[in-house]
Amino acid sequence: MQTWNDVIRLANHGSPAPERRVEKTDAEWKAQLTPEQYHVTRQHGTERPFTGEYCEAHEAGLYACVCCGTPLYDSRTKFESGTGWPSFTQPVQESAIKYKKDTSYGMTRVEVLCNVCDAHQGHVFPDGPPPSGLRLCINSASIRLVSEAQQA
């Protein structure tokens, strides 16, 4: 289980290498993704709060990266943060995502990226519930739910 100090260390010094990499050209990403998915994942955009498909979702399953299909978050770690974006306390496994220092918009935050394809997911904050104390604030446009029924 990662702590806020672990997240800061990884943001400053790099994350473990993923088991595989998915790399595509900009044209290939544009052909695969909707305009909103492309804006969020490849251009580090953000969807408007309370508008994302998974903001209020409660179905059991895994949330995978919309770009490469890598499982990133488990619905059992999803919680209602009141922020307007799906929020999770931890990734499925520590090597699934990576953290990067983000100084855009005149503030310092920690960006969450898919560790396999570098898709922007959202940001992480140290105000989540126990046991991790983390809030991974994730854009719905960057993930897709694979329900438990679909996994079977």
Side-chain angles (χ1 to χ4, degrees):
M1 172 108 18
Q2 292 178 331
T3 66
W4 182 244
N5 288 334
D6 295 330
V7 168
I8 296 300
R9 180 181 50 76
L10 290 169
N12 289 327
H13 302 292
S15 298
E19 293 178 17
R20 68 186 178 103
R21 287 287 302 158
V22 172
E23 295 181 16
K24 296 183 178 186
T25 67
D26 198 48
E28 289 171 320
W29 287 125
K30 282 183 178 180
Q32 174 185 328
L33 303 168
T34 68
E36 181 180 29
Q37 290 169 335
Y38 178 81
H39 173 68
V40 169
T41 62
R42 308 321 304 176
Q43 298 179 315
H44 304 263
T46 301
E47 63 197 9
R48 289 188 336 270
F50 301 102
T51 63
E53 176 181 3
Y54 300 118
C55 189
E56 302 293 328
H58 301 286
E59 187 176 353
L62 294 176
Y63 289 88
C65 176
V66 72
C67 293
C68 68
T70 300
L72 301 176
Y73 316 102
D74 189 313
S75 64
R76 292 174 291 188
T77 67
K78 188 173 184 284
F79 69 98
E80 297 299 325
S81 65
T83 62
W85 290 276
S87 296
F88 302 88
T89 58
Q90 64 189 42
V92 169
Q93 58 185 27
E94 289 187 22
S95 63
I97 61 174
K98 64 183 176 180
Y99 304 100
K100 181 179 172 187
K101 185 176 179 180
D102 176 5
T103 57
S104 63
Y105 303 106
M107 60 182 113
T108 300
R109 300 178 290 174
V110 176
E111 181 180 17
V112 177
L113 301 142
C114 173
N115 202 21
V116 172
C117 71
D118 299 331
H120 171 76
Q121 295 288 305
H123 291 87
V124 61
F125 301 95
D127 59 3
S132 73
L134 300 176
R135 174 173 52 95
L136 288 102
C137 192
I138 305 301
N139 290 283
S140 289
S142 69
I143 53 178
R144 66 177 172 82
L145 176 63
V146 180
S147 70
E148 286 185 352
Q150 290 172 313
Q151 293 175 41

